[in-house]
Amino acid sequence: TQLVMNTLSYIAIGGYWAEKIALANAKSRHENEEIKALLQEREALIGSLLKANKTASTGALSASIAHELNQPLGASSLNIQFLQKKLAQGDLNPDIQKEILDTLLADNQRAANIIRSLRSIFSEGEVASSEFDMGDVIDSVLSIAKPEIHAKNIQIILKADSRLVLKADSSEIQQLLLNLINNAIQALVASSRANKQLTITAKKSSDDVEVCIADNADGIPLEAQGQLFELLTSTKRTGMGLGLWLCKHIVTRHGGSIRFEPNEGGGAKFIVRLPLQ
């Protein structure tokens, strides 16, 4: 009787634990299936995000190209109209002809540089660095903006240290400064201030170069200052919200920084710091 009772007890205990183990195995299989489903969902989500990011980058690149090419294409259009006018009047001497053709060639080269620069920026490749003088880049940008500056009677105040040599992509830095200077010019044109001034300062510190672009226009509204560098955010009625975002993108690629400050006496001031290397 004792042996039978012991045997039945072992059978009952064995059955109990066998059932427990079977339930645990079933639960484990169910949990594994859930984990597998979650991992598959995660992979699908990552794929969707990568596809969306690629689509957004492509859209931003297209919009940026359209935005940046407006300036050289507009300048080329004006020069072509001027050339047509001179040809119609029969008043085209060799000097004017050479000047116009040189300007058209420069605008065409600048458009090509913009496309090359934007392609390299959005491909997130390494920066094509070479040594150049920041003063030379500032002079080239002012030369590009010279017609607009003279037409709007804007006074330029330039304070730049000599031998500001740094290693970076000169085409991207030129595009950066051109965007900031064009923004300042547009702000001054829209301002009712009589004495319009654009101040450009450039100086060297121990390990970087600081460039400041300041205007004495009406300034930027307080509510807009916190979103200046965000994509598709603009303080201008006809703006696309790409210029300052692209400026920040270029500066970040070069390991630098850009910030906004209200200019003393009114207007806006943008301060760019770029490492020497």
Side-chain angles (χ1 to χ4, degrees):
T1 303
Q2 186 65 40
L3 179 60
V4 172
M5 293 297 294
N6 289 342
T7 302
L8 292 175
S9 298
Y10 291 145
I11 292 173
I13 294 171
Y16 171 78
W17 284 111
E19 185 181 0
K20 283 284 187 181
I21 292 171
L23 290 173
N25 288 337
K27 184 179 180 182
S28 178
R29 286 195 299 270
H30 180 68
E31 289 176 348
N32 287 337
E33 290 176 358
E34 286 186 342
I35 292 172
K36 185 178 179 181
L38 288 172
L39 288 174
Q40 291 175 345
E41 186 178 350
R42 172 179 172 270
E43 292 299 324
L45 180 59
I46 290 175
S48 299
L49 288 174
L50 289 174
K51 184 178 180 180
N53 183 60
K54 186 176 181 180
T55 302
S57 296
T58 303
L61 172 60
S62 303
S64 296
I65 290 176
H67 177 266
E68 299 302 319
L69 287 181
N70 271 338
Q71 211 279 336
L73 290 177
S76 295
S77 178
L78 290 175
N79 282 309
I80 291 172
Q81 291 175 21
F82 181 72
L83 181 60
Q84 289 175 332
K85 180 180 178 182
K86 288 295 183 180
L87 286 172
Q89 294 174 348
D91 185 24
L92 185 65
N93 61 59
D95 291 337
I96 294 178
Q97 179 179 344
K98 182 179 184 304
E99 181 180 354
I100 294 174
L101 291 177
D102 288 344
T103 304
L104 286 172
L105 182 61
D107 288 334
N108 182 71
Q109 185 60 47
R110 187 153 57 90
N113 288 338
I114 287 172
I115 294 175
R116 181 191 64 78
S117 176
L118 288 173
R119 286 183 64 185
S120 68
I121 288 172
F122 282 91
S123 66
E124 294 298 341
E126 292 185 3
V127 176
S129 300
S130 60
E131 287 193 351
F132 62 92
D133 194 309
M134 179 62 81
D136 293 339
V137 174
I138 293 174
D139 288 340
S140 67
V141 172
L142 288 177
S143 177
I144 293 170
K146 184 178 179 180
E148 186 75 6
I149 291 171
H150 284 180
K152 305 304 180 182
N153 197 26
I154 297 172
Q155 179 186 1
I156 299 294
I157 301 173
L158 177 60
K159 303 174 184 178
D161 293 346
S162 58
R163 296 296 299 163
L164 290 175
V165 179
L166 69 158
K167 192 173 183 180
D169 189 319
S170 59
S171 296
E172 291 187 21
I173 302 305
Q174 183 190 61
Q175 200 60 40
L176 161 71
L177 297 180
L178 185 60
N179 275 343
L180 294 175
I181 288 175
N182 275 338
N183 282 349
I185 291 172
Q186 292 172 12
L188 288 168
V189 170
S191 173
S192 58
R193 190 183 293 269
N195 183 25
K196 304 180 187 296
Q197 291 184 346
L198 173 58
T199 303
I200 304 170
T201 59
K203 59 184 180 180
K204 180 181 177 181
S205 64
S206 58
D207 57 356
D208 61 19
V209 171
E210 180 182 285
V211 181
C212 177
I213 312 293
D215 63 71
N216 65 341
D218 300 331
I220 297 174
L222 184 62
E223 61 273 12
Q225 294 178 10
Q227 301 175 336
L228 285 176
F229 300 103
E230 293 184 8
L231 183 61
L232 304 179
T233 300
S234 177
T235 59
K236 294 175 285 188
R237 184 170 299 177
T238 58
M240 296 176 64
L242 289 167
L244 289 177
W245 171 81
L246 186 59
C247 288
K248 185 174 182 179
H249 193 70
I250 292 173
V251 170
T252 303
R253 269 170 54 83
H254 284 79
S257 64
I258 181 171
R259 71 180 192 272
F260 161 79
E261 291 181 3
N263 194 22
E264 298 176 3
K269 179 192 296 183
F270 289 90
I271 301 169
V272 176
R273 299 184 74 94
L274 294 168
L276 294 174
Q277 295 292 331

PDB file of all heavy atoms in Angstrom, residues 110 134-146 170 174 177-178:
ATOM      1  N   ARG A 110      29.727  80.044 -61.535  1.00  0.00           N
ATOM      2  CA  ARG A 110      29.196  80.079 -60.171  1.00  0.00           C
ATOM      3  C   ARG A 110      27.993  79.139 -60.043  1.00  0.00           C
ATOM      4  O   ARG A 110      27.832  78.451 -59.027  1.00  0.00           O
ATOM      5  CB  ARG A 110      28.797  81.506 -59.798  1.00  0.00           C
ATOM      6  CG  ARG A 110      28.393  81.691 -58.354  1.00  0.00           C
ATOM      7  CD  ARG A 110      28.666  83.120 -57.906  1.00  0.00           C
ATOM      8  NE  ARG A 110      27.987  84.066 -58.753  1.00  0.00           N
ATOM      9  CZ  ARG A 110      26.763  84.512 -58.530  1.00  0.00           C
ATOM     10  NH1 ARG A 110      26.092  84.065 -57.494  1.00  0.00           N
ATOM     11  NH2 ARG A 110      26.220  85.411 -59.322  1.00  0.00           N
ATOM     12  N   MET A 134      40.307  83.977 -46.293  1.00  0.00           N
ATOM     13  CA  MET A 134      38.927  84.393 -46.098  1.00  0.00           C
ATOM     14  C   MET A 134      38.678  85.778 -46.705  1.00  0.00           C
ATOM     15  O   MET A 134      37.591  86.054 -47.226  1.00  0.00           O
ATOM     16  CB  MET A 134      38.583  84.400 -44.613  1.00  0.00           C
ATOM     17  CG  MET A 134      37.170  84.843 -44.294  1.00  0.00           C
ATOM     18  SD  MET A 134      35.914  83.756 -45.010  1.00  0.00           S
ATOM     19  CE  MET A 134      35.920  82.427 -43.806  1.00  0.00           C
ATOM     20  N   GLY A 135      39.678  86.639 -46.666  1.00  0.00           N
ATOM     21  CA  GLY A 135      39.523  87.972 -47.256  1.00  0.00           C
ATOM     22  C   GLY A 135      39.233  87.903 -48.740  1.00  0.00           C
ATOM     23  O   GLY A 135      38.421  88.679 -49.262  1.00  0.00           O
ATOM     24  N   ASP A 136      39.869  86.953 -49.441  1.00  0.00           N
ATOM     25  CA  ASP A 136      39.631  86.807 -50.879  1.00  0.00           C
ATOM     26  C   ASP A 136      38.205  86.334 -51.148  1.00  0.00           C
ATOM     27  O   ASP A 136      37.555  86.778 -52.106  1.00  0.00           O
ATOM     28  CB  ASP A 136      40.625  85.806 -51.476  1.00  0.00           C
ATOM     29  CG  ASP A 136      42.063  86.320 -51.434  1.00  0.00           C
ATOM     30  OD1 ASP A 136      42.238  87.545 -51.322  1.00  0.00           O
ATOM     31  OD2 ASP A 136      42.988  85.485 -51.492  1.00  0.00           O
ATOM     32  N   VAL A 137      37.708  85.431 -50.315  1.00  0.00           N
ATOM     33  CA  VAL A 137      36.341  84.936 -50.489  1.00  0.00           C
ATOM     34  C   VAL A 137      35.331  86.059 -50.239  1.00  0.00           C
ATOM     35  O   VAL A 137      34.351  86.208 -50.979  1.00  0.00           O
ATOM     36  CB  VAL A 137      36.071  83.742 -49.541  1.00  0.00           C
ATOM     37  CG1 VAL A 137      34.604  83.313 -49.614  1.00  0.00           C
ATOM     38  CG2 VAL A 137      36.963  82.569 -49.900  1.00  0.00           C
ATOM     39  N   ILE A 138      35.579  86.864 -49.201  1.00  0.00           N
ATOM     40  CA  ILE A 138      34.681  87.997 -48.913  1.00  0.00           C
ATOM     41  C   ILE A 138      34.667  88.965 -50.090  1.00  0.00           C
ATOM     42  O   ILE A 138      33.606  89.459 -50.506  1.00  0.00           O
ATOM     43  CB  ILE A 138      35.107  88.702 -47.621  1.00  0.00           C
ATOM     44  CG1 ILE A 138      34.897  87.776 -46.416  1.00  0.00           C
ATOM     45  CG2 ILE A 138      34.314  89.996 -47.425  1.00  0.00           C
ATOM     46  CD1 ILE A 138      35.425  88.336 -45.108  1.00  0.00           C
ATOM     47  N   ASP A 139      35.847  89.251 -50.656  1.00  0.00           N
ATOM     48  CA  ASP A 139      35.931  90.156 -51.813  1.00  0.00           C
ATOM     49  C   ASP A 139      35.151  89.593 -53.000  1.00  0.00           C
ATOM     50  O   ASP A 139      34.457  90.346 -53.712  1.00  0.00           O
ATOM     51  CB  ASP A 139      37.395  90.375 -52.203  1.00  0.00           C
ATOM     52  CG  ASP A 139      38.144  91.239 -51.198  1.00  0.00           C
ATOM     53  OD1 ASP A 139      37.480  91.962 -50.423  1.00  0.00           O
ATOM     54  OD2 ASP A 139      39.385  91.190 -51.185  1.00  0.00           O
ATOM     55  N   SER A 140      35.253  88.280 -53.239  1.00  0.00           N
ATOM     56  CA  SER A 140      34.546  87.677 -54.371  1.00  0.00           C
ATOM     57  C   SER A 140      33.030  87.745 -54.180  1.00  0.00           C
ATOM     58  O   SER A 140      32.287  87.998 -55.129  1.00  0.00           O
ATOM     59  CB  SER A 140      34.992  86.220 -54.560  1.00  0.00           C
ATOM     60  OG  SER A 140      34.567  85.410 -53.474  1.00  0.00           O
ATOM     61  N   VAL A 141      32.579  87.550 -52.941  1.00  0.00           N
ATOM     62  CA  VAL A 141      31.145  87.629 -52.653  1.00  0.00           C
ATOM     63  C   VAL A 141      30.642  89.061 -52.838  1.00  0.00           C
ATOM     64  O   VAL A 141      29.567  89.291 -53.417  1.00  0.00           O
ATOM     65  CB  VAL A 141      30.845  87.122 -51.229  1.00  0.00           C
ATOM     66  CG1 VAL A 141      29.387  87.385 -50.861  1.00  0.00           C
ATOM     67  CG2 VAL A 141      31.139  85.636 -51.120  1.00  0.00           C
ATOM     68  N   LEU A 142      31.402  90.026 -52.355  1.00  0.00           N
ATOM     69  CA  LEU A 142      31.002  91.431 -52.521  1.00  0.00           C
ATOM     70  C   LEU A 142      30.995  91.829 -53.997  1.00  0.00           C
ATOM     71  O   LEU A 142      30.168  92.644 -54.419  1.00  0.00           O
ATOM     72  CB  LEU A 142      31.950  92.344 -51.735  1.00  0.00           C
ATOM     73  CG  LEU A 142      31.804  92.297 -50.210  1.00  0.00           C
ATOM     74  CD1 LEU A 142      32.845  93.177 -49.539  1.00  0.00           C
ATOM     75  CD2 LEU A 142      30.405  92.722 -49.788  1.00  0.00           C
ATOM     76  N   SER A 143      31.907  91.240 -54.774  1.00  0.00           N
ATOM     77  CA  SER A 143      31.923  91.507 -56.210  1.00  0.00           C
ATOM     78  C   SER A 143      30.652  90.976 -56.874  1.00  0.00           C
ATOM     79  O   SER A 143      30.084  91.619 -57.762  1.00  0.00           O
ATOM     80  CB  SER A 143      33.163  90.865 -56.839  1.00  0.00           C
ATOM     81  OG  SER A 143      33.169  91.047 -58.237  1.00  0.00           O
ATOM     82  N   ILE A 144      30.201  89.814 -56.433  1.00  0.00           N
ATOM     83  CA  ILE A 144      28.966  89.239 -56.975  1.00  0.00           C
ATOM     84  C   ILE A 144      27.760  90.111 -56.607  1.00  0.00           C
ATOM     85  O   ILE A 144      26.863  90.349 -57.419  1.00  0.00           O
ATOM     86  CB  ILE A 144      28.768  87.810 -56.432  1.00  0.00           C
ATOM     87  CG1 ILE A 144      29.857  86.882 -56.979  1.00  0.00           C
ATOM     88  CG2 ILE A 144      27.386  87.271 -56.789  1.00  0.00           C
ATOM     89  CD1 ILE A 144      29.891  85.522 -56.324  1.00  0.00           C
ATOM     90  N   ALA A 145      27.738  90.588 -55.364  1.00  0.00           N
ATOM     91  CA  ALA A 145      26.595  91.380 -54.878  1.00  0.00           C
ATOM     92  C   ALA A 145      26.716  92.867 -55.216  1.00  0.00           C
ATOM     93  O   ALA A 145      25.805  93.643 -54.882  1.00  0.00           O
ATOM     94  CB  ALA A 145      26.460  91.208 -53.367  1.00  0.00           C
ATOM     95  N   LYS A 146      27.794  93.259 -55.850  1.00  0.00           N
ATOM     96  CA  LYS A 146      28.067  94.683 -56.104  1.00  0.00           C
ATOM     97  C   LYS A 146      26.947  95.410 -56.849  1.00  0.00           C
ATOM     98  O   LYS A 146      26.553  96.513 -56.444  1.00  0.00           O
ATOM     99  CB  LYS A 146      29.390  94.814 -56.874  1.00  0.00           C
ATOM    100  CG  LYS A 146      29.844  96.238 -57.120  1.00  0.00           C
ATOM    101  CD  LYS A 146      31.184  96.255 -57.848  1.00  0.00           C
ATOM    102  CE  LYS A 146      31.634  97.689 -58.132  1.00  0.00           C
ATOM    103  NZ  LYS A 146      32.937  97.708 -58.849  1.00  0.00           N
ATOM    104  N   SER A 170      36.240  76.165 -50.146  1.00  0.00           N
ATOM    105  CA  SER A 170      36.035  77.592 -50.443  1.00  0.00           C
ATOM    106  C   SER A 170      34.704  77.853 -51.138  1.00  0.00           C
ATOM    107  O   SER A 170      34.073  78.894 -50.916  1.00  0.00           O
ATOM    108  CB  SER A 170      37.191  78.122 -51.298  1.00  0.00           C
ATOM    109  OG  SER A 170      37.287  77.396 -52.519  1.00  0.00           O
ATOM    110  N   GLN A 174      31.961  80.327 -49.676  1.00  0.00           N
ATOM    111  CA  GLN A 174      31.470  81.430 -50.503  1.00  0.00           C
ATOM    112  C   GLN A 174      29.946  81.445 -50.539  1.00  0.00           C
ATOM    113  O   GLN A 174      29.317  82.504 -50.417  1.00  0.00           O
ATOM    114  CB  GLN A 174      32.024  81.320 -51.921  1.00  0.00           C
ATOM    115  CG  GLN A 174      31.602  82.489 -52.831  1.00  0.00           C
ATOM    116  CD  GLN A 174      31.961  82.251 -54.279  1.00  0.00           C
ATOM    117  OE1 GLN A 174      31.490  81.299 -54.897  1.00  0.00           O
ATOM    118  NE2 GLN A 174      32.791  83.114 -54.834  1.00  0.00           N
ATOM    119  N   LEU A 177      28.572  82.753 -47.154  1.00  0.00           N
ATOM    120  CA  LEU A 177      28.651  84.211 -47.000  1.00  0.00           C
ATOM    121  C   LEU A 177      27.707  84.927 -47.966  1.00  0.00           C
ATOM    122  O   LEU A 177      27.108  85.951 -47.610  1.00  0.00           O
ATOM    123  CB  LEU A 177      30.089  84.679 -47.222  1.00  0.00           C
ATOM    124  CG  LEU A 177      31.121  84.157 -46.216  1.00  0.00           C
ATOM    125  CD1 LEU A 177      32.509  84.704 -46.552  1.00  0.00           C
ATOM    126  CD2 LEU A 177      30.743  84.550 -44.796  1.00  0.00           C
ATOM    127  N   LEU A 178      27.576  84.377 -49.178  1.00  0.00           N
ATOM    128  CA  LEU A 178      26.674  85.001 -50.153  1.00  0.00           C
ATOM    129  C   LEU A 178      25.234  84.972 -49.661  1.00  0.00           C
ATOM    130  O   LEU A 178      24.485  85.949 -49.818  1.00  0.00           O
ATOM    131  CB  LEU A 178      26.803  84.293 -51.502  1.00  0.00           C
ATOM    132  CG  LEU A 178      26.011  84.908 -52.668  1.00  0.00           C
ATOM    133  CD1 LEU A 178      26.453  86.331 -52.933  1.00  0.00           C
ATOM    134  CD2 LEU A 178      26.185  84.063 -53.930  1.00  0.00           C
TER     135      LEU A 178
END
